[in-house]
């Protein structure tokens, strides 16, 4: 029986782990599929558009040629060339097939549902613009759902690690404060107190009644009847449990309902751990700094025009979803490997912003209560 129960226990634990991980995997996989479908859609629409030379582009080239000819004579060349370049449309100088390949389109989709929006890549056709609005309408809530789900995992990791650090810190402080002589005396006192304490195991009803003095034979019969009733009740309850277990195992519909209810409970728990998180905001700022510094050290390896400072600035602007678009990437497909980094980093920044928001709310409450106490009139005590 032991050998058969072990594989059954292993199967049940594997099922529990699977159904516990299922909601997290479901969100991430759905986001990845959504990004790939969007990349296929936008690459098909935007890369196949017709490139026509417009009249505005021809006028721009004529003005540029005129300025180039008058370069030695014209003193206001810098002012005129700046005005002319401001009228230029970036679409004139973009090859759609190169910009809207699969990796470029996937990078564009990531910037849409993460709400970063660098502004370097954007749809030109009206079909692409309408589909971009529809794509963002469903993609942004899905992205926030993934962020909330991953925030629970990060919140549990941060809270547990912070609590363990505090326990270790208190132990170290206690060991430093406690000297050798005082500690030995305290340990001796504790051992004496513990030796005095005797833990008695709970007795049965029969032993309790028989331990009392002056118990008659009639009472023994009552005790035997009482024990017979308890044994009969145990016999009645035990088969009911077995029957219920047999019912679960024999009827797959009931077992399926049980697993479905478990999965629904896991979905209901999303965002709960994030609300319970309470760590110092200085710790979160330190985590963000270390997290961005790691990416800023790696990013210049393939983005040769970037140094550490520009990469740090670019990662901060990305993770905070500001996305100015002033820093351009030469190889967006390499940055797609950082998509998981972006999601985790956005979640860390979101947790830091939430903690800062909670601290500000507490500060505002204290200020309002302080001002209310000052403005309240002082109570006068009249003599009786």
């Amino acid at each position: 029986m032991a050998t058969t129960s072990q594989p059954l226990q292993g199967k049940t634990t594997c099922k529990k782990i699977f159904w516990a991980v299922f909601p997290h995997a479901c969100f991430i996989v759905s986001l990845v599929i959504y990004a790939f479908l969007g990349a296929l859609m936008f690459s098909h629409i935007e890369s196949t558009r017709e490139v026509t030379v417009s009249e505005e582009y021809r006028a721009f080239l004529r003005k540029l040629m005129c300025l180039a000819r008058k370069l030695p004579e014209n003193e206001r060349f810098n002012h005129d060339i700046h005005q002319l370049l401001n009228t230029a449309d970036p679409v004139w100088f973009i090859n759609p097939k190169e910009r809207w390949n699969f990796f470029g389109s996937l990078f564009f989709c990531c910037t849409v549902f993460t709400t970063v929006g660098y502004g370097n890549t954007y749809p030109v056709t009206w079909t692409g613009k309408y589909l971009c609005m529809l794509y963002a309408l469903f993609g942004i809530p899905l992205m926030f759902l993934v962020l909330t789900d991953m925030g629970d995992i990060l919140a549990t990791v941060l809270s547990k690690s912070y609590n363990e650090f505090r326990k270790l810190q208190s132990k170290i402080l206690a060991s430093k404060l406690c000297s050798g002589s005082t500690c030995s005396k305290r340990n001796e006192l504790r051992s004496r107190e513990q030796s005095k304490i005797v833990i008695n195991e709970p007795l049965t009803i029969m032993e309790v009644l028989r331990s009392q003095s002056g118990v008659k034979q009639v009472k023994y019969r009552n005790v035997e009847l009482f024990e017979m009733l308890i044994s009969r009740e145990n016999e009645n309850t035990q088969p009911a449990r077995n029957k219920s277990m047999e019912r679960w195992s024999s009827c797959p519909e009931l077992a399926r309902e049980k697993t479905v209810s478990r999965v629904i409970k896991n979905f209901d728990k999303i965002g709960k751990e994030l609300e319970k998180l309470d760590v110092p905001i200085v710790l979160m700022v330190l985590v963000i700094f270390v997290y961005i510094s790691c990416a800023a050290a790696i990013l210049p390896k393939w983005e040769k025009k970037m140094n550490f400072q520009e990469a740090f600035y670019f990662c901060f602007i990305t993770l905070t979803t500001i996305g100015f678009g002033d820093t351009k990437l030469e190889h967006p497909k390499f940055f797609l490997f950082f998509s998981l980094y972006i999601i985790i980093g956005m979640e860390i920044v979101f947790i830091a912003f939430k903690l800062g928001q909670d601290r500000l709310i507490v500060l505002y409450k204290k200020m309002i209560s302080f001002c209310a106490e000052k403005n309240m009139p002082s109570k006068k005590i009249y003599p009786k």
Side-chain angles (χ1 to χ4, degrees):
M1 292 294 289
T3 55
T4 56
S5 63
Q6 284 178 357
L8 287 172
Q9 287 177 358
K11 285 181 181 179
T12 52
T13 51
C14 288
K15 281 182 180 179
K16 284 180 182 178
I17 292 165
F18 173 76
W19 290 116
V21 177
F22 178 74
H24 313 293
C26 183
F27 294 144
I28 294 168
V29 169
S30 58
L31 185 66
V32 170
I33 292 168
Y34 194 75
F36 274 88
L37 289 174
L40 291 171
M41 179 178 67
F42 286 111
S43 64
H44 176 70
I45 293 167
E46 294 295 328
S47 64
T48 56
R49 68 181 176 87
E50 293 182 2
V51 180
T52 56
V53 180
S54 61
E55 286 295 329
E56 291 86 359
Y57 181 58
R58 288 175 182 173
F60 172 79
L61 289 176
R62 282 195 294 268
K63 288 178 182 178
L64 189 63
M65 291 290 288
C66 290
L67 284 172
R69 286 171 188 169
K70 294 177 183 179
L71 178 60
E73 301 173 2
N74 196 355
E75 294 178 356
R76 297 181 60 198
F77 178 76
N78 289 329
H79 176 71
D80 293 338
I81 197 71
H82 280 136
Q83 280 189 341
L84 183 62
L85 290 174
N86 286 329
T87 60
D89 192 355
V91 179
W92 297 341
F93 313 105
I94 292 170
N95 187 2
K97 290 183 179 178
E98 290 180 0
R99 177 62 65 88
W100 291 97
N101 55 11
F102 179 76
F103 289 105
S105 302
L106 189 60
F107 180 72
F108 167 75
C109 291
C110 291
T111 58
V112 168
F113 57 69
T114 54
T115 67
V116 176
Y118 293 117
N120 301 324
T121 306
Y122 52 88
V124 177
T125 61
W126 281 109
T127 308
K129 288 177 181 179
Y130 288 132
L131 286 173
C132 179
M133 289 188 283
L134 191 66
Y135 187 79
L137 193 64
F138 292 98
I140 292 169
L142 181 61
M143 181 66 195
F144 284 164
L145 190 61
V146 171
L147 288 177
T148 308
D149 182 47
M150 291 193 69
D152 286 339
I153 300 167
L154 285 172
T156 51
V157 170
L158 284 170
S159 60
K160 283 182 180 179
S161 57
Y162 180 69
N163 291 330
E164 290 295 326
F165 174 73
R166 290 297 299 271
K167 284 178 185 177
L168 184 65
Q169 190 179 12
S170 61
K171 283 180 182 178
I172 291 166
L173 288 170
S175 63
K176 283 182 180 179
L177 291 170
C178 187
S179 61
S181 59
T182 56
C183 280
S184 60
K185 287 178 182 178
R186 285 177 186 174
N187 290 327
E188 284 177 5
L189 288 169
R190 282 178 184 174
S191 62
R192 285 174 186 175
E193 286 174 358
Q194 286 177 0
S195 63
K196 289 176 183 178
I197 297 165
V198 179
I199 299 167
N200 293 321
E201 293 183 357
L203 301 172
T204 60
I205 299 165
M206 197 74 177
E207 287 173 351
V208 170
L209 293 173
R210 285 179 181 174
S211 62
Q212 294 177 0
S213 58
V215 180
K216 295 180 181 179
Q217 192 69 25
V218 181
K219 289 185 179 180
Y220 285 116
R221 287 177 185 174
N222 293 330
V223 171
E224 287 173 2
L225 286 169
F226 186 65
E227 285 190 348
M228 283 172 68
L229 288 169
I230 290 169
S231 63
R232 195 175 292 174
E233 189 179 351
N234 290 329
E235 285 176 2
N236 290 329
T237 54
Q238 191 68 27
R241 290 180 184 175
N242 293 331
K243 282 177 184 177
S244 64
M245 291 296 290
E246 286 173 6
R247 202 188 314 155
W248 282 110
S249 60
S250 62
C251 188
E253 286 81 6
L254 293 173
R256 206 172 296 156
E257 285 179 5
K258 194 176 180 182
T259 53
V260 168
S261 64
R262 267 185 200 165
V263 174
I264 290 167
K265 283 180 182 178
N266 289 332
F267 277 106
D268 291 335
K269 289 177 184 177
I270 293 168
K272 301 294 182 183
E273 293 295 328
L274 191 60
E275 293 175 359
K276 297 176 187 176
L277 182 66
D278 189 16
V279 294
I281 197 165
V282 180
L283 177 65
M284 291 305 303
V285 172
L286 183 64
V287 169
I288 290 168
F289 179 78
V290 173
Y291 194 79
I292 294 175
S293 299
C294 292
I298 297 167
L299 194 59
K301 298 293 180 182
W302 61 74
E303 294 291 333
K304 301 298 180 183
K305 292 182 180 180
M306 278 189 183
N307 54 14
F308 179 80
Q309 291 179 354
E310 289 177 353
F312 190 92
Y313 170 77
F314 175 76
C315 291
F316 181 82
I317 294 299
T318 300
L319 297 182
T320 51
T321 68
I322 297 170
F324 289 123
D326 53 346
T327 306
K328 296 180 182 179
L329 294 175
E330 292 180 356
H331 308 286
K333 61 182 179 182
F334 291 116
F335 196 76
L336 286 171
F337 292 109
F338 264 25
S339 56
L340 185 64
Y341 165 84
I342 293 170
I343 292 170
I344 297 171
M346 285 175 68
E347 186 51 49
I348 292 170
V349 172
F350 174 70
I351 290 170
F353 287 165
K354 188 181 179 300
L355 289 171
Q357 182 184 355
D358 295 339
R359 301 296 188 276
L360 282 172
I361 288 168
V362 171
L363 182 64
Y364 277 119
K365 284 180 179 178
K366 286 181 179 178
M367 286 174 63
I368 289 166
S369 62
F370 179 74
C371 293
E373 285 176 1
K374 272 200 165 184
N375 292 327
M376 281 179 70
S378 58
K379 293 181 180 180
K380 294 180 179 179
I381 301 169
Y382 296 99
K384 291 182 181 179

